[in-house]
Amino acid sequence: MARQISVVEKKWPLKKPFIISRSARVETTTIKVTIDDGPHRGIGEGVPNPRYDETATSLIAQIEEIKSALAGGLDRTELQQLMPPGAARNAVDCALWDLEAKQTGKHVGQFSRLGWPENLQTVQTISILSPEEMLEEAKALAGFPQIKVKINAELIVERIAAVHKGAPDSKLLVDANESWSLDILTDNAPLLADMNAVLIEQPLKAEQDDDLAGYTGPLPIFADESCHVSSDLPDLVGKYGGINIKLDKTGGLTEAIILEKAALDAKMEIMIGCMLSTSLGIAPTMFLASRAQYVDIDTPALLSRDREHAVQIDRGKVSPLDEKLWGGG
């Protein structure tokens, strides 16, 4: 029997606007892929990212192109060659992982040898607001071990100082989303280090990676937009101290596992991140988190509503993954 493939687009409202250097959003859009072989059904999620010219329509079109091959038994290894990295491949790849768990009766942690995720702690994110508003946001998060702070090129010190004042014991992960210049980085990094910042994520545009080759500063620089798959790493070594792994960039858990191992072999630190996904999109990333120095999977806490069997986040503590959501055998 040929597999049955379905793709569903859905919008999910956020509790409050999510504002980064290049955009502001009040909802997120996902696609859900279901692969049904008759007795078993696997699911996966992808989130289109305008930064990479992705839309729900373009993701669905990519999946339509491989639908016949997928229905005919395409496996995860073959998928890596047939589709480019990105959110469309992520949704399909993760659906195939989930399907394999259902077919074998073994959960993903068993046949991936990654173990079942537990005892995870995530950052909580503060969007770009006025310094006064960010102070109030930080006060509500005081006591969280780590807070990610979205920032642009304006009022950098004022905004980070406000967050530090509101949550003085929290470590701050500063995410510029490609909005800085090298001069801004050089001038501000020492000041941020004095305010409990522990890293700066993607300060420069991805095309400006070479500008970081001679940079030395008090905080490690993490690559996000500059790092998608394992083949990107050779050009990043010596410029970045760590990378942010997101399945919507790697094109799924299959490549993400390879990327994480390659980064660790290169002595780079790891952040496990995500796009604005539901708990279904978060679930596969949780299997990578045990070896990461930083975990940024707080989007279930940002949604007004979520999927069934959702991941729960309480003051940064992530609930155990429910096998009914994804990955259970």
Side-chain angles (χ1 to χ4, degrees):
M1 174 182 170
R3 295 166 170 169
Q4 300 297 309
I5 317 299
S6 70
V7 187
V8 177
E9 174 188 352
K10 189 168 183 177
K11 296 185 184 300
W12 305 84
L14 305 178
K15 292 177 181 176
K16 60 181 70 174
F18 185 78
I19 306 168
I20 66 173
S21 63
R22 58 174 170 261
S23 65
R25 303 169 70 177
V26 296
E27 65 181 11
T28 188
T29 301
T30 66
I31 62 160
K32 177 184 174 183
V33 171
T34 302
I35 305 174
D36 191 331
D37 69 358
H40 311 101
R41 179 179 297 174
I43 57 175
E45 179 181 279
V47 180
N49 190 335
R51 169 65 176 80
Y52 308 119
D53 298 319
E54 293 177 333
T55 65
T57 300
S58 73
L59 301 192
I60 293 169
Q62 286 185 61
I63 295 167
E64 287 292 332
E65 290 180 5
I66 68 155
K67 212 172 204 181
S68 60
L70 198 54
L74 180 77
D75 64 23
R76 284 188 288 107
T77 301
E78 295 165 331
L79 176 68
Q80 311 308 304
Q81 307 304 316
L82 197 59
M83 291 188 80
R89 193 176 80 183
N90 178 33
V92 176
D93 182 77
C94 290
L96 288 170
W97 277 95
D98 191 42
L99 180 65
E100 185 172 346
K102 304 302 187 291
Q103 291 171 333
T104 61
K106 296 180 179 180
H107 65 64
V108 166
Q110 290 174 307
F111 62 84
S112 68
R113 298 184 180 179
L114 294 173
W116 193 256
E118 55 186 5
N119 300 321
L120 300 182
Q121 183 88 29
T122 180
V123 306
Q124 188 79 28
T125 301
I126 296 179
S127 291
I128 299 173
L129 301 164
S130 71
E132 295 76 17
E133 290 170 312
M134 294 177 81
L135 171 62
E136 294 306 311
E137 292 279 319
K139 286 180 179 178
L141 301 179
F144 279 53
Q146 299 172 348
I147 298 173
K148 175 174 273 197
V149 187
K150 294 291 187 178
I151 207 79
N152 56 21
E154 300 171 357
L155 301 175
I156 295 168
V157 172
E158 292 85 347
R159 284 172 163 144
I160 299 301
V163 173
H164 179 49
K165 181 179 179 181
D169 297 325
S170 301
K171 294 180 179 179
L172 307 183
L173 288 63
V174 179
D175 187 1
N177 284 113
E178 302 182 285
S179 63
W180 292 4
S181 65
L182 184 60
D183 286 343
I184 292 174
L185 171 63
T186 302
D187 292 344
N188 285 275
L191 303 175
L192 304 188
D194 289 338
M195 299 181 212
N196 229 14
V198 293
L199 65 85
I200 299 171
E201 186 178 347
Q202 197 67 47
L204 311 186
K205 293 185 184 301
E207 306 82 58
Q208 297 174 325
D209 285 339
D210 288 346
D211 292 349
L212 293 171
Y215 171 77
T216 56
L219 297 174
I221 308 300
F222 273 58
D224 181 0
E225 287 87 347
S226 291
C227 185
H228 292 243
V229 294
S230 54
S231 60
D232 293 330
L233 274 184
D235 287 336
L236 304 180
V237 174
K239 302 168 188 174
Y240 291 93
I243 61 169
N244 188 341
I245 300 175
K246 297 177 179 176
L247 270 61
D248 280 313
K249 294 187 302 174
T250 65
L253 182 58
T254 301
E255 172 61 22
I257 292 171
I258 297 170
L259 173 58
E260 184 180 60
K261 182 181 185 305
L264 292 171
D265 289 345
K267 309 301 182 186
M268 300 180 84
E269 291 192 314
I270 304 293
M271 181 189 302
I272 298 301
C274 61
M275 303 303 184
L276 277 173
S277 56
T278 71
S279 287
L280 176 58
I282 293 299
T285 71
M286 293 172 68
F287 289 86
L288 299 169
S290 64
R291 295 193 293 177
Q293 283 73 34
Y294 302 98
V295 178
D296 177 16
I297 56 171
D298 67 330
T299 57
L302 307 180
L303 300 176
S304 293
R305 53 186 172 82
D306 202 346
R307 300 190 188 272
E308 280 190 289
H309 314 298
V311 174
Q312 305 297 320
I313 298 175
D314 180 14
R315 300 190 65 79
K317 292 182 179 179
V318 184
S319 66
L321 179 59
D322 189 331
E323 291 195 29
K324 295 176 184 175
L325 173 64
W326 187 88

